[in-house]
Each structure stands twice: as C-alpha cells, then as structure tokens.
Amino acid sequence: MTAPWEPDEALAAFADLDLDRAARRGYPEAVYCRGKTAEQVGLIAGALRGHGARTLFTRAGPEHTAAILGELPDAFHYAASGLLAWPPDPPDPVGGRVLVVAAGTADQPVAREALLTARHLGRPADLIMDVGVAGLHRLLRRLDVLRTARVIVVVAGMDGALPGVVAGLVAAPVVAVPTSTGYGAAFEGLAPLLTMLNSCAPGVAVVNIDNGYGAGHLAAQIAAPP
Amino acid sequence: MTAPWEPDEALAAFADLDLDRAARRGYPEAVYCRGKTAEQVGLIAGALRGHGARTLFTRAGPEHTAAILGELPDAFHYAASGLLAWPPDPPDPVGGRVLVVAAGTADQPVAREALLTARHLGRPADLIMDVGVAGLHRLLRRLDVLRTARVIVVVAGMDGALPGVVAGLVAAPVVAVPTSTGYGAAFEGLAPLLTMLNSCAPGVAVVNIDNGYGAGHLAAQIAAPP
Amino acid sequence: MTAPWEPDEALAAFADLDLDRAARRGYPEAVYCRGKTAEQVGLIAGALRGHGARTLFTRAGPEHTAAILGELPDAFHYAASGLLAWPPDPPDPVGGRVLVVAAGTADQPVAREALLTARHLGRPADLIMDVGVAGLHRLLRRLDVLRTARVIVVVAGMDGALPGVVAGLVAAPVVAVPTSTGYGAAFEGLAPLLTMLNSCAPGVAVVNIDNGYGAGHLAAQIAAPP
Amino acid sequence: MTAPWEPDEALAAFADLDLDRAARRGYPEAVYCRGKTAEQVGLIAGALRGHGARTLFTRAGPEHTAAILGELPDAFHYAASGLLAWPPDPPDPVGGRVLVVAAGTADQPVAREALLTARHLGRPADLIMDVGVAGLHRLLRRLDVLRTARVIVVVAGMDGALPGVVAGLVAAPVVAVPTSTGYGAAFEGLAPLLTMLNSCAPGVAVVNIDNGYGAGHLAAQIAAPP
Amino acid sequence: MTAPWEPDEALAAFADLDLDRAARRGYPEAVYCRGKTAEQVGLIAGALRGHGARTLFTRAGPEHTAAILGELPDAFHYAASGLLAWPPDPPDPVGGRVLVVAAGTADQPVAREALLTARHLGRPADLIMDVGVAGLHRLLRRLDVLRTARVIVVVAGMDGALPGVVAGLVAAPVVAVPTSTGYGAAFEGLAPLLTMLNSCAPGVAVVNIDNGYGAGHLAAQIAAPP
Amino acid sequence: MTAPWEPDEALAAFADLDLDRAARRGYPEAVYCRGKTAEQVGLIAGALRGHGARTLFTRAGPEHTAAILGELPDAFHYAASGLLAWPPDPPDPVGGRVLVVAAGTADQPVAREALLTARHLGRPADLIMDVGVAGLHRLLRRLDVLRTARVIVVVAGMDGALPGVVAGLVAAPVVAVPTSTGYGAAFEGLAPLLTMLNSCAPGVAVVNIDNGYGAGHLAAQIAAPP
Amino acid sequence: MTAPWEPDEALAAFADLDLDRAARRGYPEAVYCRGKTAEQVGLIAGALRGHGARTLFTRAGPEHTAAILGELPDAFHYAASGLLAWPPDPPDPVGGRVLVVAAGTADQPVAREALLTARHLGRPADLIMDVGVAGLHRLLRRLDVLRTARVIVVVAGMDGALPGVVAGLVAAPVVAVPTSTGYGAAFEGLAPLLTMLNSCAPGVAVVNIDNGYGAGHLAAQIAAPP
Amino acid sequence: MTAPWEPDEALAAFADLDLDRAARRGYPEAVYCRGKTAEQVGLIAGALRGHGARTLFTRAGPEHTAAILGELPDAFHYAASGLLAWPPDPPDPVGGRVLVVAAGTADQPVAREALLTARHLGRPADLIMDVGVAGLHRLLRRLDVLRTARVIVVVAGMDGALPGVVAGLVAAPVVAVPTSTGYGAAFEGLAPLLTMLNSCAPGVAVVNIDNGYGAGHLAAQIAAPP
C-alpha cells in the first residue's frame, strides 16, 4: 500500500508479480505492456530476470521494447505483434500438435502471436496462411494436415467465416480469433466475433478480438500432454 | 386529406395505391400487412381486385388473411411466410434462372417467400435447402446446379457464412438474406447480417433480416430478360 | 431441389441429414429444433431411428418433443433444457473428465445441457452448482475437485465473472457459457458474454449465450482420448 | 506451412494467390492492401505481373502504392480511393450499362472506386454526382439517364436516403453503398447502412460501408452479358 | 412523503399534479398511463375533473381507459393510439396550420396521435397519409398543400427517408417522428431515428420513436399565435 | 457434486446457501427468484426458516410467491415489486436516514423495492414520489427534506435526469437507479442508465436498470452506523 | 455525367449547386466542407461569389478555409467551429428572438455555430453559457430572459439533461443539440442524444450530435416572421 | 449574455463559476479542462486564485497545464492523470478511510485520480494495486486491510470482475470504476462497465468509464464525518 502525494515508482508499489503462477497453473506469467509505462515494464523485466522466470511480453510498443531489451538483451522480438519472449528459445515441444490457420495475409500478426505463444509454452506448432473461404479449394487442399492437429487456432477478420468451416471438417476443437481487419461494418472486429460465436458447426470456442496470445495459450492447454 | 376527430375509414383516407407502379417500374405493387388493420387490408384487396392488378400481400397474420380471402377467395396462400398472391398462378416464366439456397430447415419460411416472389414476378425459380457450411460436402455436391443460375438468393441465420462461400464458387451475383434464426448472440439476425456485409468474396449484396420478399424481388430484377 | 407452389413436405425436400458426420468428425449429428415444424422434426427422428444414429435434439418445445417421442419413445428427455437424447443411455465414458460449474441455480438448464451433452458424447462428466463469486469461499472449498478436471465448463449469467476466476486457479482450459439470466443491463446475456471474452486470466474460450450444447460438445472434444 | 521462429518472407509463406479465380468465377483477383506490409504487396504485384494477370489493388496507402508501382510502373493509380489497376487500360466494354450515382461531392472517392471497378471488369459505366435528396429536382432532371441503366450503384452517406428514392423510379436493380460521411449520429456509416437495409422501395441491395469496390464488382456481375 | 410498509394509495402519495403547468408553460398537463395502475390513473382523472383541467391521457391500455371513462365518461377516445382527451372537443383553433404527413398506412396510430394532440392544444391541423418515398409522385402531387403549413410533422418507419425529402421542398420546419414499423434491421425504430437525425436537408428536428404526442405538442408550440 | 442423468432435486444439489453472509458481510442473504423453479425457491425458503435467517426474496412471480408463503406464511409481500420479506417486520432502524426519490408514478415498484430493502436492512427510510425535472418546483419545494438525508436513492426512467439535478443540490451521495419506463428510444432503460453515468454533478453512483434491491442495499451500507 | 479514367475537376463534374434553394425554400445554400477537397471547396466559393449568393461554409478545416478566403477574402471566419459566412455581415434581423443556451464552456464551438447560423439567416439571436444542471441557480436566475425567446436552442454534452429542464420552464419550443463532450460512457455524444430524445417535458426536438448549424437553421425557421 | 459576431473572451462571457458550491454542497468546485481552450482555463484559474477557492483541475492536457501553472505556480500536478490541485497540500484528513484498489498496473492513472481526489476533499485515503482476479491470492492476502475501509473504490478494465469479488468479502460499499484498458471486445470500457452494473454481489455502485475523479468524490461523500 502506497500513500504519498507523489507515486512511489518502486516495483512493489504498482505490481505484485505472480511468480508462482507456473507452479499453481502450470504456465508461466505474461506481461501485458499496453497502459504500463516503459519504466514499469523495465522494472518488471529486471525482476523476472532475477527469478529466471520464463516470460512473454505482449503488446509492447517501441518504448516498452527498448526497456525490456535493456534488461533482457537476448530476448526474442517479433515486432509486428509487439511480442517478446525470454529466454529466446522455446522449450522442447511436448504434447499434441497446435495448428494455426489464418484466413488472410493481413491476419499474420495475430496468427503469429498465437503460434509463438504456443511454442513458448512448449507445444509443437505450425502455421498455414491465406486460406480464406472466398477460395475454398485452398483450404480443402490442406485437409490432411488439418486432421493431424490436436487443436486448431483459426484467425480471421471480415466475415469471420473460416472457423466454422474448419470445424465442420475435423474432429479437433477449434479456437477462433476474430481480427479487426476489414471495412466499416466489420466494426473493428465485432462482425467476425459474432460470426464465430454463432458458428453452425459445434466445436468452436472464441477469444477476444486480435487476442493471438490468448488463443495460443488456450491451445497449449488443450494440447497439453496427459 | 382527412380532418375530423374520428378517422375516416374510407380507402382514400389512409392509402394512395400505386397502381401505375407496374407501368413505371415494371413490377406490380405489394402490400405489407403488418401494422395495418384487417379492415384496411380488406379495402385494399377489394380495390386491387377492381383494377385486376397482380399483387402480393406480405406479413399477413390470420386476421389479415381472412380479410384478403374474403375479397380474393382464389388467392394463393402460404401460411408459414404470411404470403398471399393474386391471381393465384404465376405468369409464364421469362428471363434468367433464380436459385434460392437455404442454409437450414428453419430458414424455409424466408427462403420460400423469396422463391414465390420471384415466380410471382415471372422468373423461373428453384429451391435448394439444408446446405449450411457445417457440412460443406452438401453444397459442393450441388456445384453444377449452382452454376446454372443467373442469380442466387442465399438465406442463412446463425453465422450467416453461406452467401460468402457460395459467392466464391460462382460467377453469378448473390443476394444474401440474414434470418433471425439462432442462439442469443445472433441478436435476432444482427450477426448474420454483419457477416454477409463483410463477405470476403466479392459479389454479395444484402437485404434486410428475414426479408425474403425483398430478395425475391431483387433477384427477379437482376434476372430480368433484356 | 423442389419447385412447386406448394412446399414438398417429404424429408428430402427440406433436410439433407449429415449421417456420416460421426465418421467424418468423430461426433454424431444433433438436431436444433427451434424454427423447424413439429412435422419436420418427427420426420427427421424417424429417419435417424432407421439408421440407428445416436442423436441429440436441442431446444425442443412441447410439440417437437411429442413428435420425437412418437418416433423414439424411449428417448431420454430433460424438459428444462428442451433436450432429448437417443438412445437414452450414454455410451461408456472414455477420455478425460469434464467438470461443469454453474454460478447460480438459475443457470441450471444451461449447465445441465452441457453436462448431458458431454456424457452423450462419451465423456465422464460431473456438475457443481451455486458457486458464484459473490461468496468466494464456496468455490475455494472445491479447489481439489476443480483440479482433477481435463476441461471445465463454467456457466454464468449477470456479471459473468466466474470463468475468469476459475481459470486463474487451474491448469485446465475453461469453456465459458454466458447465460441470459439477470437484470436489464445484462442485455439478455451480452454483459456476461463480454466479461468472458475479456477475461484477465488466459485460458478462457467462450461459446454463444445459453449454448450449453456447444459447450458440452467442445468439452468432449478437448477431453477426447488420444 | 511455415514453422521457424522468424517469419518466412517468401510469397508462398503468406499468400496463396487465387490465380485461377478468373477461370472459376469469371472475374480476376483483387488485392486488399490494408493490413499487408508494403513488402508483401510488392511481392504479390511481382507475381501477378509474371502471370500477366489483370488485377485491382484496393485501399493502397502511399507505401503500398510505391511498392506496386515499383513492380508495375504503368499501373493506373487513383489516389483518392487508394486504387491501382493493372494493366492500366480497361478491356473493351461488354454487357449492360452500369450507372454510378453519388449523393454528395464527399462521396466521390467511393463512387469513383465503384466506377473504375466496373470498367476494369469490362462494363460500360458512367457517373452522376451531387444529386442528394435535399434537392430532388437535381435527381428528377436525370430520370431519362437513370432509366437507361441495367444496374445503378447509388452511393450516399448521412441519411442514406437516395438509393430508396432511386429504386422507386426505375426498373433496374439498385446496389446501395453507405459511406462514412456525416455528423456524429451517422456513426461512421451505420446510419445510412441501416437506412438502405430498410428501404421502402423493393429492389435495393446493400454492400459494406465505403465499399465501392464491392459495389462495382457486383454491378459488373449483374450487368454481365448473357 | 409516505413511510409505512404498505403503500399509501391516496393520490397525494404517488402523484404531484402539475396543475399550474398551463399557467407556467401555456399548455395543459398530459398523463402518460403506461406503468401506472388503473387505480392511479382513475384517481388522477377524478382530480383533474375536479379542477376542470383540460387533459390528454396517452398510452392508455384497456384497463386505464375504463378507469378514465369511469371518471370522465364524455372523454374522447381514439383506441388505436391509446389516447383520451377531455373535454372531448378541442378548443377553437388559433395560430398557424399544422400538417401531419405519414409515410405509410401502418404509421396511422402515431400520425393521428400527433394530429389530435395539435388540435387539443388549439391549432388547426390536417393529415395526409401514404406518401412514402417509394412513389415520389404521391408526395409531389401535394406540394401546394405542403407549402401552406406553418409546421409539418412527418411520421415514417422503415427507412425514415420522408422527413428529409419533405424538408428539402418547403420553408417550414419539419418535426420528424420515427415509428417502430418495419423488418428486423429497423430495430424497433432505431433505423428511421438515425436516418432522421442525419437528414441531408436542414430543417428537420426529431422526437422519440412512436412519440406522436410529443410531435403534436411541439408542432403546436411552433405554430403558436404571436 | 451431483452426477446422475436425472437431476437431483434436493436442496444441496442446486444451492449452497450463504448463511454466514450476515456474519461475513454484516447483511443477510437475499434470494433472486427469477430463473429458479417454484420448487427450488420453496426448498430454499424452508431451509432459511430452519435457520431463522432474515431474508428478502426478489423478483418473485406468482408461483414463487405461493411456494414461499407455503413455507413462510407470515412473510411480508409487496406484489408490484415481486418482493417478500421474512420476518415480516423490519428491525428497529439504526444509522443515517435513507431517502428514496422517484421521478414518476410509474417508477413506484422500483422505488418501493429500494425503500423496503433499506428498511429490511435496518435503516430509517422514506419515499418522495413524482418530482421529475419537467416541473422543477416540485423538487425545489422539498429541498429541506432532501438535505436531511445521509444518502439519497433517486429512481428515474425516460431521460434519467433527476439524479444529476438532485446531486447538484445536496452534500449527500446519490445512488441512481434507471428504470425501463419510457418510449422507444429509452431502449428498456439504456437511455437513463447512460444519462446517470454521465451526470455533470459529481456524487452520483449508478446501479443496474430496475434494480431497486441493489440500490436499497447500497444505501443501507452507506448509511450504516459507525 | 463524367466518364473518363481521370476525374474531371471542373465544378460541373462534382457539384450541382442548388442556387435556387433560397427561392424554393426561403433559405440560402450552405456548403458542408468535410470530405470535399480544398480545390473543390474553392471552386464552389468562386461560383457562389459569381452569383452573389449568401452562403455558409461549415466544418471547414485549415485548407478549406484558405481556399475559401482565396475566393472570398472578406468572408467572416470563426475558427473554433470551422465556420465561414459570406457576405461577412448578417442581414438586418427580422422575426422572433432565438436564444442559444449552452450547458458548459466546452460546448461553446457548437453553441456559437448555432448562434451565427441563426443570425446569418436573419434572426435576432443571443447566447447564454455555462448554465448546466449541476448548479440550477445559474439557470433559474435567467428565467426572465429565457421567457422572452420565440425558440430556444439548448446545447449540452455529458448527461444532456439541460434541454428537458429548460423545456419544463418555458412556453417556447426547444431545439436540443447533443455534443460529443464527456467521459467514456458518453460514447461521443450518444448519451446526451438519447437523454434529449427521452425528455420528460414535451416541447423538445433533437438534431444531430454537434450539429450547431442544423439547430441554428431550424431555429431560424421556427422564429421566421409571418 | 454576449451577442457580437466575435466571441467575447472575458471570463463572464463563457463561464459562471460556482464559487458557493462549497457552501451549498460542502465540496469545492472542480474544472473539467477537456474542450476548453487553454486561455479559458487560465482565466478560470486566475479567478479562483482571486477567491482563494480550493480547486481540482481534471483532464488537463499540456497546454491547459501550462496555463494553470502560469496562474497557480505552486499547484500540485500529477501528469499521468492530467490532474492539478490547488492549494497543493490536501487538508487534514477527517472522516472514514477511503481505500482505492486497482486490478492492474495499467489502471494506475485512474486509480490515482480517485486517490488524490479523495485526499483533496479531506479524507484519509490509501491505494492497493495489481490485485486482479486472475490471481486471487493477491487479493485474499489483503483481506484485513480491505475490512478497515469505510468505502472501497475498485478500479478495473478488461473483464471488470474485481469490484463484485471485493464486495462479496466486505461490509463497506464499493464504488466501481471501469477503465478503457483492454483488447478489442472491451470496447473502450463498455465491457467492464456492464460487468460492474451486473455484479452478483450487492453493494456495488458504478461511475463513468475512467472517471477516477467522480469515484474519489463519491467516496469522500460516503466517508464524510457525521
């Protein structure tokens, strides 16, 4: 508890790191950077390094990134998604295969955030891109690969129709991620979000708009080894 | 113009029939019954009979229907859609083929409203039902038929994904009709409406929720003979 | 394809049963009754009986139920959810444990729809009720049981806060089901739906409002045996 | 399928060009640039040039445009709409006449995107601007021209009333395009979108907000030669 | 102020009649019945009779109506709008002319509520019905009458386009009333409400959905004698 | 945890009564009846009687009420709000004064639910009705009484303007309750809810639409004795 | 009608000036600048100068302003509202008095746009600012002035409560203008818009969010001399 | 009242300072800076200094801040919230304890705005941060501190679940503040706003999105000394 007029900028004053989350939940902490100051993110990065705690940083802007790399210079950085991972190499993969499928090229940053999250959490994971429903033959051509997955993350904006179509073709559960790609009436991702929630085919679960991290995490849990 | 305290219930006091619409636009008048009293609809039916004017009555409830059949006893009546057509037989079909495709059995009343409207306006028209995207093979099996149409009306609720998938397979324009079928987050047809407006495949135009009449009319215009 | 003025009421005219879905996807067909006529549902029930195909009927009203029981008199019926299952006994359970957790007593019809669906699809499944976040001790007391599950379905209306709290306590993935329970600003389930999509804890996937069937199906897929 | 930590920037890793779309659907591919990187758009442009495939690029920002013109220096470019066409000259027009009608001067970028798309796809197409319903005489004066069209694309923001008024005057189908022009309660195009969906006159179909490309494409399909 | 467990049902316990409103604002009180019990409305009617206060009762259901007529047996009653006026005859009209214009027959109850309110408040008032924009000639034929009004109330559902079109033709101010008439995406009057707020032609002011009373009151104020 | 096909209807199977809530939070349990079966509510009522636990039942329909009165025949019942209290008499009041202020007569059921809840929880509480902002003099006349309260609950539908006006006149905090009273664009209470959240005067806190219980509870907490 | 690939930038190609609007409607044209290019606005300004037509330019950004002042160097310019008037001096005022009332200082740009529009159209007009409902005494102190007006324009953001309060105090009609001022749940003006539409006091008409021009125009029409 | 073409920039022309608010309501004025010009804010600051009136300035941008500090150079300034307080030191605290609890680090600016407001108004106030529901142990560890508060302000974005969980643990009233932190479907704070309004635990009142000032003010009123 901090009380003075001027905010206390020590780590304990603004953050209560959940370092035993890995023990309690089986998955390490992640740090959502948006809304935090670069100084705060840097202090968190330093503390995590001190504990040797495997961590993802999500939605990191350029200033956040500089602060993190100042503390963890060897962290892996994928700028298009604002993602950093430390240590830079993922663990050896265990469990079922995670397949990430993206409808369009513009969905790449979200799809790759899901892909990298699943690998960071220890799953074997692969990516297929540009298989939207406007050209079904592109999807049907990959049916064999789709059926090898333990779980499929499907990323789509605009009409958001791909997850329902994929779910109708496979036995694996589908984690659907709406993206904010599209014209006006996509309403920043609301349209594909609703489409996915109303999927005719059972077996589709939905996460937040553009939330590749959440989808990758959930997929890692679904594909966890027994 | 009518002015007394008590409403004047003569036809001229509440309706200004657009009897030359057939001449001006090439398509006859239709009467939207919801919100009118049975008496008003009956007076309109009588006036139309007097002019021998081909007419559809849409969204007719039981009292409307009774009033219409009182004036036009030989009218064709399809109760599930609240549709009546007079004279009962459609004209000999001319122009291109209209194909109506419905995703699920629950979409039948809207799909059939489109089908009957297109026939009433003089087009050859057919219906395919229960080809939703949860089982793509059902649609793909009909690819040959789909490609014979001059225009395809696609009716779907829930995720509303079918029109975009169909549009990606054919050269003909697709008229998409969202229906109010589905669970909570379909929000009475809002979800499929947005899906259809955001279709990845070009070639999809959208009409109002459950508006089979509007879709059938538009399709008849698109498939009109030169 | 059917073309006459009067609709053809034979099964083939309105439905294209996906009888090989069990082969293709590994899970049997379900019939969503709302929007279908009782006659249509009865014809479908008869056809399924003819194929001996394991089936769920969801959202069945009284007339649907009578038509189904006319064809499948031994079907199991749980009226509060409008659910019927045939054959009446679930298969021997295989795979991981599905745990269904409901925030309040009013969520029972949806929770039990998820429970029964998971069992019908062959999983061991149990139910815990009335553990909403207004009295956290009720949830914390069940921590040991929560941690035995392969997947947890969490059903909640009003603030929809329970799935995120549960996800923060366990390693298993959480399937969240918003319900339409609550006062005005719950907007028929929109409020808990948004809450669940915005869960602070990763590991939460969301299905449609009141969609216990979808949640149970997804849970069965997640907990499938290798 | 691509798997490494660092994304593979070769074309095959992020895009699966639908080069036989012209054969399958009768209309060539278009590339939606927003959300793609300039590098990706440049690679696509190069590949299309290699195949000699007629293409539109839509929603191209300055960096996209530079990358495209680097590969296709003779492409036609209309900056106000972010549109590029290659080859620069449209094919000789065939089929019915497409008429694009815009309510206000501010709707010009969307209207011209529709116009250019229709020409690029091979239709004769013309444009009438500034005929909004606040001064009906401007529209009524063009009635003769309106009645020569096989299909009319009507572009309007604010109240979005023009498409319904036009549809009431002609036999041709109307493709309505809402624009994001207007004061606060236009809600970025939501108001004219709803107006158009609720048009009193039958014969209006609606595409996405500001989607001139989609409207022009649909109009080209409707006006296609037999 | 009332305090006991059991509610006090005397008039003073639940209502504070604004009897000097006529003095303060120049217009008499109106009683909105919906949400009040029949007993409460009856007590109010009795008190108003005691004061001889000219009054309108709006949104009166059958039980409200019976209670009012029990106290004021000679009150004028127009059931379609749920409107009662007492004393039954309007005062001699003074001030400018109020013209009420309705787009469709289904808008009659709202239009007539506006008409009767304006007369009850002492204005000369007339009604024109069924002049929606789908057949512009019906409106243009009345241009002379439209231009005689001091203020025009325009009532429309569905696309709500009529007020903007009327405003573009006259010098008088237009009071627009959206109605809840229409198909799904009219969203119970939201669509015409937005259309009217976004009217391209200046000179349109909007009141609540289906609020004929409010429109008639406002028109009476605008057309008040100097 | 209950597991059989047929639901277990014993109390422990569906409810986990929070009987020590009075000890933990200082306020007794309340039972929200909507969504529960009459049987379930009856079982809960019986269990509470066994523990002698002071309880409110909210949103009780006729069947719920019968079940409750079967177990607790002396319970106080206020039908307009669907409220029952047991034991029937409130405790002797302690703490500051709660004043409930309602804008219109139609807000009475919600206002009285707040009043009775505050008394049931042990506060002195009074009610003022029909002081909406359309006639400010009615409110200003009560300024002395308003200033005696420790907390003021303000109940209003339609424009929801009253809480902000009251807050600008007093030192006490205001608890605002939007009601679902009003015409179309009140959208079942959304309009007054937003008004109250945006109050210009500080000192206004908002609860759910029509949630008189929540407002009365919160007021009792604010006015609690030291 | 213009047809070439490159847009024709002559005035006739993009605008159809409504120069006889003053004759037809009694009020001169206004030019809404947003969405037009500076070049287009400059061409329009030049044409209007050629006709000597009194004009307002609204929502003019810096580039629009420079183009207008290049053609009409003596135009009056009020930058905070993006308003220009030409000729710079308003006509001699005739008709009733227009009073513009603003709730807060932040509403000044919109309030002044209404004030200047009313004067430009020939009405005597005055402004009162900072009389929001959080301090009612500020408004009540001006009651005498309020009652001198023929029409009152009330401008308010946040809770939008002021128009209803003013309407309850006067006989004149109130034109309400919601502004986009406020915290998050004001949703860019949606909250005050809904408040105003739901005003308890009759006599309030609403225009679009931030639409000071529309309010001033309407007020000028209401206060027009006989 | 000011009337000339050019706005009068003297203080009296745009603001009517409510200097006796402290006397009338017991709490001093605050100045909401957004939407005011820097000049206006500077004039207000000067006038307040002249009266020696304790004041908060909220939502001050850099230009506002410079203008305020020009007049009140010793004002306290907390930039992250855009807050300035004058005089810089809060009064000696009286009344009950206010506890501000924030779910995440990103909620700090809003939480601290509440904290500083409560202190400025004379209450003892403390802050606890980063105790979101994803790691319940962090909250449960502070149960003793939570139970010492007279009122708790709970600040949370994303799922907004924390206020309901806190309310279920304590006797004190909870003031909930939704923040605009989060992914797409948080819709700028709409999601946590709805969650908080639907809290299962009674005792939660809600203020506007990001409105730390309003929450701190309300808390100061609730915790006021007798």
Side-chain angles (χ1 to χ4, degrees), chain D residues 126-174:
Chain D
D126 296 286
L127 175 65
I128 297 176
M129 281 184 55
D130 205 20
V131 290
V133 299
L136 273 185
H137 57 289
R138 298 181 297 192
L139 181 70
L140 298 175
R141 201 193 296 152
R142 266 80 165 221
L143 213 45
D144 284 352
V145 176
L146 292 172
R147 289 185 172 155
T148 64
R150 176 66 178 87
V151 57
I152 306 179
V153 174
V154 184
V155 182
M158 296 184 170
D159 60 17
L162 187 58
V165 169
V166 169
L169 296 167
V170 301
V174 167

Side-chain angles (χ1 to χ4, degrees), chain B residues 26-116:
Chain B
Y27 298 93
E29 174 85 282
V31 179
Y32 177 74
C33 298
R34 198 186 289 158
K36 295 192 175 72
T37 63
E39 289 67 31
Q40 292 171 336
V41 170
L43 284 171
I44 293 171
L48 292 166
R49 186 194 50 200
H51 288 86
R54 175 173 290 277
T55 308
L56 277 182
F57 296 84
T58 65
R59 306 286 147 151
E63 297 189 10
H64 297 124
T65 301
I68 296 164
L69 293 177
E71 296 286 338
L72 304 165
D74 61 333
F76 170 81
H77 179 216
Y78 179 57
S81 308
L83 194 83
L84 295 101
W86 187 84
D89 292 314
D92 288 340
V94 295
R97 186 190 200 190
V98 173
L99 190 63
V100 179
V101 175
T105 307
D107 301 319
Q108 175 164 276
V110 176
R112 230 164 244 289
E113 188 183 44
L115 178 78
L116 296 174

Side-chain angles (χ1 to χ4, degrees), chain G residues 50-115:
Chain G
H51 289 87
R54 175 172 290 278
T55 308
L56 277 182
F57 296 85
T58 65
R59 307 286 146 147
E63 298 189 9
H64 297 125
T65 300
I68 296 164
L69 292 177
E71 295 288 338
L72 304 166
D74 62 333
F76 169 81
H77 180 217
Y78 179 57
S81 308
L83 194 82
L84 294 102
W86 187 84
D89 294 314
D92 288 339
V94 294
R97 187 191 200 191
V98 173
L99 190 62
V100 179
V101 176
T105 307
D107 301 318
Q108 175 163 277
V110 175
R112 231 164 241 291
E113 188 183 43
L115 178 78

Side-chain angles (χ1 to χ4, degrees), chain D residues 61-80:
Chain D
E63 297 189 10
H64 298 124
T65 301
I68 296 164
L69 293 177
E71 295 288 337
L72 305 165
D74 62 334
F76 170 81
H77 179 216
Y78 179 56

Side-chain angles (χ1 to χ4, degrees), chain D residues 4-224:
Chain D
W5 257 137
E6 298 289 347
D8 180 355
E9 288 299 352
L11 179 61
F14 65 82
D16 185 348
L17 296 183
D18 193 3
L19 293 165
D20 70 346
R21 178 162 138 189
R24 191 178 77 252
R25 293 200 55 190
Y27 298 93
E29 173 84 285
V31 179
Y32 178 74
C33 297
R34 200 185 288 158
K36 295 190 175 73
T37 64
E39 290 67 32
Q40 291 171 335
V41 171
L43 284 170
I44 293 171
L48 292 165
R49 187 194 49 200
H51 289 86
R54 174 172 291 276
T55 310
L56 277 182
F57 296 84
T58 65
R59 306 286 147 148
E63 297 189 10
H64 298 124
T65 301
I68 296 164
L69 293 177
E71 295 288 337
L72 305 165
D74 62 334
F76 170 81
H77 179 216
Y78 179 56
S81 308
L83 194 83
L84 295 101
W86 187 85
D89 293 313
D92 288 340
V94 295
R97 187 192 199 188
V98 174
L99 190 61
V100 179
V101 175
T105 307
D107 301 319
Q108 175 163 276
V110 175
R112 230 164 242 290
E113 188 183 44
L115 179 77
L116 297 172
T117 298
R119 287 180 183 162
H120 177 81
L121 298 179
R123 297 294 162 269
D126 296 286
L127 175 65
I128 297 176
M129 281 184 55
D130 205 20
V131 290
V133 299
L136 273 185
H137 57 289
R138 298 181 297 192
L139 181 70
L140 298 175
R141 201 193 296 152
R142 266 80 165 221
L143 213 45
D144 284 352
V145 176
L146 292 172
R147 289 185 172 155
T148 64
R150 176 66 178 87
V151 57
I152 306 179
V153 174
V154 184
V155 182
M158 296 184 170
D159 60 17
L162 187 58
V165 169
V166 169
L169 296 167
V170 301
V174 167
V175 176
V177 193
T179 68
S180 51
T181 302
Y183 280 81
F187 293 119
E188 302 295 317
L190 176 62
L193 171 63
L194 291 180
T195 308
M196 293 168 181
L197 287 166
N198 286 285
S199 180
C200 296
V204 177
V206 188
V207 298
N208 205 334
I209 298 166
D210 290 335
N211 190 2
Y213 164 69
H217 194 289
L218 189 72
Q221 292 172 280
I222 293 173

